Every structure is written in structure tokens, then in C-alpha cells.
Amino acid sequence: MDNKRRPMKSLLLAGLLGLGVAGIAALTPGSPAVAQSAGSAGAMPMPEFTIYHLEGRRSERLVWLMEELGLPYNLAFERGNLGASMAAIRAINPTMPVAPTVTYGDQVLVESGAIIEMILARHGEGRLVPPLDSPDFATHLLWIHYSEGSLASRAIADYRVWQIQPPTQRSPLVDSQQVVQYAENFLMENPWFGGAEFSAADIMMLFPLNFALQLNIVDADLFPQVAAWMEKVQARPAYQRMLAKARPDGMVGSLPALPAHAPSGPRNP
Ligand SMILES: N[C@@H](CCC(=O)N[C@@H](CS)C(=O)NCC(=O)O)C(=O)O
């Protein structure tokens, strides 16, 4: 089937086949200009691509990516029901049930960053990646990997530690405040995590920065560049289309914000 010609379905097929499988909708991104360029010479043909999704979670990155690129995808989730959406993920990926899980042709894949890099390399035709010979290419890759490898991991660790026992001071090791500060510093000199232009690094960075600021793991007031960047990326039409399709009822199952952030303690030099 030619995915590019598939009509957009506005409703999810809730309870598909009555088997507790999340609804699947085939979505055609809303930018005709981008959609046309997506089909031009050079890209590999896009196989059937289904994003198994949890509202408000990292799977939004892939929906946003596909909307930015104007590439076709299916979106599978049970609206307003994280448990049912997770059951659908578990059904296709029982040993590593995380969002996003995707099916790409006959492969089942996880890791949002790896999936994004693969889609860009095969189907991006140079979009959302700085030129290979520019310094921005190196920092774009840095932020793609930093988003999960340093930022999400440390912010989530600090959040979980707090829930076990609120700390009396911040860790003297690199902690969530320091990893967000590193991002803040970069944005003082660059408009985007892609450098001069928006790139897939910006898509990767939004989730963990939102997590750290909105859950009060760090003091949002300390990071005005990050706050301004967040407003800018969230105003993008492709991000807004992602919200309409992948978070149609707003945030579902929000985690509780911390009552306070850990006090600043000794810092690495
Ligand atoms: N590094 C992975 C993280 C995936 C991940 O942990 N996703 C969360 C949702 S945002 C999840 O599925 N959590 C369920 C669990 O860990 O059991 C990625 O970037 O895709």
C-alpha cells in the first residue's frame, strides 16, 4: 500500500478487534510543502511505520519528527488510558515494553534517539540535521545523545531519589541542575540545540527539559534561555499538530511535581 496516499483518519479505532489492542490511526502530516519534498529522489521508500504511543511521553518525539518531515505514520494508543496503551506495547514488545516502541516494516524497534537517527538517515533527505561539515553537526549529535544519556538519566535519578528520601543537599556529582545548566549555557550562544537552525536535537531535548523544569527537579527560574527556547519549539506548527494527534485531551497521568528542589550544595569545579 502507498502510505503517502492514505487518508487521515481523525478518530482512533478504539479497542481494535476487541482484543484490548490500542487504536491505530494512519496519519498524514499537515504540511503539503514538506510532504511533497519527502517523496523526492534520494530517500529510501518509507515502509509501514507504526508508533506505539503513551500520551505525554517520549513517543511524542517520533510523532513530532514525522510531522516536521511530512512523512506518513500510524499512531497506536488508547486515548486517555495509559494502561491500555501500555498493554498494546507489551503485546508487540513483551521483553522491553517502553514508549516509544515502533514497528518499521517487519522490525520492532525501541530508543527514540536511534529511531530518529535512522529515519533521518534513510528518509530525511538532509532535513533536521546540520550540514556534515559544519560545527553544528557535532553539537547536534551531542544534544541528541545528551538528552537521554546525561539529561534524562540524571533528572529521573534525582526525581526518584527524592521520592525515596528528600535530600538535604544536591549531589556533589554532576546532577540535574548541572546538566540543565549545560544546556542553558549552550542556548546563550545558539538559538537551537541544532545550532543555527532547528534540528532533531531540539526534538530530543524537549522531553527531559520539560521533565526537569515542570516536575520542579530544578528551579525553572534559573534557566531563562531554556524557558524561552521551550516556548519557541512548542509554538512550531508541527509540534502543535503532534499535540492535536498524540495528546488530544491534554496531559494524561501527570507525575507529581516535587514540593521543592534540592538545595544547592557543593558543585563540581
Ligand atoms: N531511552 C528510551 C526511554 C524510553 C522510556 O523509558 N519511555 C518511558 C515513557 S517516557 C516508558 O516507557 N516507561 C515505562 C517503563 O520504564 O516501564 C527512549 O528514549 O526511547
Side-chain angles (χ1 to χ4, degrees):
M1 181 194 288
D2 181 350
N3 286 331
K4 292 193 184 79
R5 297 211 169 80
R6 202 188 294 212
M8 174 175 157
K9 295 175 189 166
S10 58
L11 291 176
L12 295 172
L13 307 175
L16 188 69
L17 302 179
L19 296 173
V21 176
I24 297 183
L27 299 173
T28 304
S31 161
V34 178
Q36 279 163 13
S37 69
S40 60
M44 284 174 61
M46 184 77 197
E48 183 96 18
F49 182 57
T50 300
I51 303 165
Y52 287 82
H53 171 56
L54 295 181
E55 287 143 294
R57 302 329 197 252
R58 288 172 176 89
S59 39
E60 289 188 350
R61 287 171 170 160
L62 300 183
V63 181
W64 184 9
L65 175 84
M66 300 308 271
E67 291 292 336
E68 291 279 356
L69 293 173
L71 290 171
Y73 60 98
N74 305 313
L75 187 57
F77 71 107
E78 189 74 49
R79 193 166 166 167
N81 188 339
L82 295 177
S85 298
M86 190 45 110
I89 294 176
R90 207 168 270 117
I92 59 154
N93 196 13
T95 51
M96 189 58 190
V98 288
T101 289
V102 302
T103 53
Y104 174 82
D106 58 8
Q107 286 186 295
V108 176
L109 303 171
V110 292
E111 281 305 327
S112 55
I115 296 163
I116 284 178
E117 285 195 61
M118 182 274 293
I119 295 283
L120 289 174
R122 288 185 171 170
H123 311 289
E125 298 181 89
R127 289 171 293 161
L128 302 186
V129 181
L132 211 56
D133 59 358
S134 120
D136 287 347
F137 180 74
T139 45
H140 152 90
L141 273 187
L142 180 162
W143 295 114
I144 288 229
H145 291 271
Y146 186 91
S147 65
E148 286 295 307
S150 293
L151 180 47
S153 61
R154 287 164 202 257
I156 292 169
D158 283 357
Y159 183 75
R160 289 184 175 172
V161 164
W162 181 288
Q163 286 174 323
I164 296 166
Q165 180 159 4
T168 55
Q169 63 170 47
R170 285 198 172 273
S171 167
L173 302 174
V174 173
D175 74 342
S176 43
Q177 184 166 300
Q178 203 168 337
V179 282
V180 176
Q181 185 65 55
Y182 192 59
E184 175 81 4
N185 296 350
F186 186 80
L187 290 178
M188 284 177 195
E189 297 184 353
N190 299 273
W192 307 100
F193 288 107
E197 304 285 341
F198 176 87
S199 84
D202 294 278
I203 294 178
M204 285 299 291
M205 286 293 284
L206 184 61
F207 177 86
L209 284 173
N210 251 332
F211 187 91
L213 271 59
Q214 288 191 356
L215 298 188
N216 202 25
I217 301 165
V218 298
D219 182 348
D221 292 344
L222 297 177
F223 305 110
Q225 303 292 334
V226 168
W229 167 85
M230 274 180 174
E231 266 190 40
K232 198 167 60 172
V233 288
Q234 292 177 141
R236 289 179 72 82
Y239 183 84
Q240 291 295 320
R241 290 196 296 275
M242 178 284 288
L243 283 185
K245 292 171 186 176
R247 213 195 289 177
D249 307 309
M251 196 61 182
V252 175
S254 299
L255 294 169
L258 297 181
H261 10 268
S264 292
R267 310 299 304 274
N268 277 345

Short mmCIF file of all heavy atoms in Angstrom, two decimals, residues 54 57-58 61 86 97-100 111-113 148 207, ligand 1:
data_model
loop_
_atom_site.label_atom_id
_atom_site.label_comp_id
_atom_site.label_asym_id
_atom_site.label_seq_id
_atom_site.Cartn_x
_atom_site.Cartn_y
_atom_site.Cartn_z
N LEU A 54 2.41 6.49 24.25
CA LEU A 54 1.76 6.86 25.52
C LEU A 54 1.65 8.38 25.53
O LEU A 54 2.66 9.07 25.30
CB LEU A 54 2.62 6.44 26.73
CG LEU A 54 2.88 4.96 27.01
CD1 LEU A 54 3.73 4.82 28.28
CD2 LEU A 54 1.57 4.19 27.16
N ARG A 57 4.43 11.21 26.67
CA ARG A 57 5.70 10.54 26.93
C ARG A 57 6.62 10.65 25.70
O ARG A 57 6.31 11.28 24.72
CB ARG A 57 5.48 9.07 27.32
CG ARG A 57 4.58 8.81 28.56
CD ARG A 57 4.60 9.86 29.60
NE ARG A 57 4.08 9.42 30.91
CZ ARG A 57 2.91 9.82 31.42
NH1 ARG A 57 2.08 10.61 30.74
NH2 ARG A 57 2.54 9.44 32.64
N ARG A 58 7.75 9.96 25.78
CA ARG A 58 8.78 10.16 24.76
C ARG A 58 8.34 9.79 23.35
O ARG A 58 8.96 10.23 22.38
CB ARG A 58 10.02 9.33 25.11
CG ARG A 58 10.85 9.84 26.29
CD ARG A 58 11.87 8.78 26.57
NE ARG A 58 12.85 9.05 27.59
CZ ARG A 58 12.68 8.76 28.89
NH1 ARG A 58 11.54 8.28 29.33
NH2 ARG A 58 13.67 8.96 29.74
N ARG A 61 8.06 12.39 20.63
CA ARG A 61 9.18 12.84 19.78
C ARG A 61 9.02 12.33 18.35
O ARG A 61 9.34 13.03 17.39
CB ARG A 61 10.49 12.26 20.34
CG ARG A 61 10.98 12.91 21.61
CD ARG A 61 12.13 12.10 22.16
NE ARG A 61 12.83 12.77 23.24
CZ ARG A 61 13.60 12.14 24.12
NH1 ARG A 61 13.78 10.82 24.03
NH2 ARG A 61 14.21 12.80 25.07
N MET A 86 -0.21 0.91 27.15
CA MET A 86 0.97 0.12 27.53
C MET A 86 0.73 -1.37 27.24
O MET A 86 1.67 -2.08 26.86
CB MET A 86 1.29 0.37 29.01
CG MET A 86 2.59 -0.19 29.47
SD MET A 86 3.99 0.12 28.35
CE MET A 86 4.97 1.28 29.26
N PRO A 97 8.96 -3.39 27.11
CA PRO A 97 7.76 -2.58 26.82
C PRO A 97 7.95 -1.12 27.24
O PRO A 97 7.67 -0.75 28.37
CB PRO A 97 6.67 -3.27 27.66
CG PRO A 97 7.42 -3.90 28.80
CD PRO A 97 8.81 -4.21 28.31
N VAL A 98 8.41 -0.30 26.31
CA VAL A 98 8.60 1.12 26.59
C VAL A 98 8.02 1.95 25.44
O VAL A 98 7.88 1.47 24.31
CB VAL A 98 10.10 1.49 26.74
CG1 VAL A 98 10.68 0.96 28.04
CG2 VAL A 98 10.92 1.03 25.56
N ALA A 99 7.72 3.19 25.77
CA ALA A 99 7.27 4.13 24.74
C ALA A 99 8.40 5.11 24.45
O ALA A 99 8.93 5.71 25.38
CB ALA A 99 6.04 4.88 25.23
N PRO A 100 8.82 5.27 23.19
CA PRO A 100 8.19 4.61 22.04
C PRO A 100 8.72 3.21 21.79
O PRO A 100 9.91 2.94 21.97
CB PRO A 100 8.60 5.51 20.88
CG PRO A 100 9.95 6.03 21.28
CD PRO A 100 9.89 6.19 22.77
N GLU A 111 14.13 2.92 21.54
CA GLU A 111 15.11 4.01 21.67
C GLU A 111 14.78 5.15 20.69
O GLU A 111 15.16 5.10 19.51
CB GLU A 111 16.55 3.54 21.49
CG GLU A 111 17.12 2.86 22.73
CD GLU A 111 17.03 3.70 24.01
OE1 GLU A 111 17.13 4.95 23.93
OE2 GLU A 111 16.85 3.12 25.08
N SER A 112 14.14 6.16 21.23
CA SER A 112 13.68 7.26 20.38
C SER A 112 14.83 7.90 19.60
O SER A 112 14.66 8.22 18.41
CB SER A 112 12.97 8.31 21.23
OG SER A 112 13.79 8.76 22.30
N GLY A 113 15.99 8.07 20.23
CA GLY A 113 17.10 8.72 19.53
C GLY A 113 17.59 7.90 18.35
O GLY A 113 17.87 8.44 17.27
N GLU A 148 19.16 11.85 26.41
CA GLU A 148 18.87 10.63 27.17
C GLU A 148 20.04 10.24 28.05
O GLU A 148 19.88 9.93 29.23
CB GLU A 148 18.53 9.48 26.22
CG GLU A 148 17.16 9.58 25.60
CD GLU A 148 16.03 9.47 26.62
OE1 GLU A 148 16.00 8.51 27.40
OE2 GLU A 148 15.16 10.37 26.62
N PHE A 207 11.63 16.76 25.84
CA PHE A 207 11.05 15.91 26.89
C PHE A 207 11.82 16.00 28.21
O PHE A 207 11.23 16.28 29.26
CB PHE A 207 10.92 14.45 26.40
CG PHE A 207 10.40 13.53 27.47
CD1 PHE A 207 9.04 13.37 27.66
CD2 PHE A 207 11.27 12.86 28.32
CE1 PHE A 207 8.54 12.55 28.68
CE2 PHE A 207 10.79 12.04 29.33
CZ PHE A 207 9.42 11.88 29.52
N1 LIG B 1 15.72 5.87 26.28
C1 LIG B 1 14.41 5.46 25.90
C2 LIG B 1 13.48 5.60 27.10
C3 LIG B 1 12.12 5.01 26.87
C4 LIG B 1 11.26 5.11 28.14
O1 LIG B 1 11.72 4.83 29.26
N2 LIG B 1 9.99 5.50 27.96
C5 LIG B 1 9.12 5.64 29.11
C6 LIG B 1 7.99 6.59 28.79
S1 LIG B 1 8.55 8.23 28.56
C7 LIG B 1 8.50 4.30 29.42
O2 LIG B 1 8.04 3.62 28.54
N3 LIG B 1 8.50 3.93 30.70
C8 LIG B 1 7.91 2.73 31.15
C9 LIG B 1 8.89 1.90 31.92
O3 LIG B 1 10.05 2.28 32.00
O4 LIG B 1 8.45 0.88 32.43
C10 LIG B 1 13.94 6.29 24.70
O5 LIG B 1 14.46 7.42 24.52
O6 LIG B 1 13.11 5.83 23.91
#
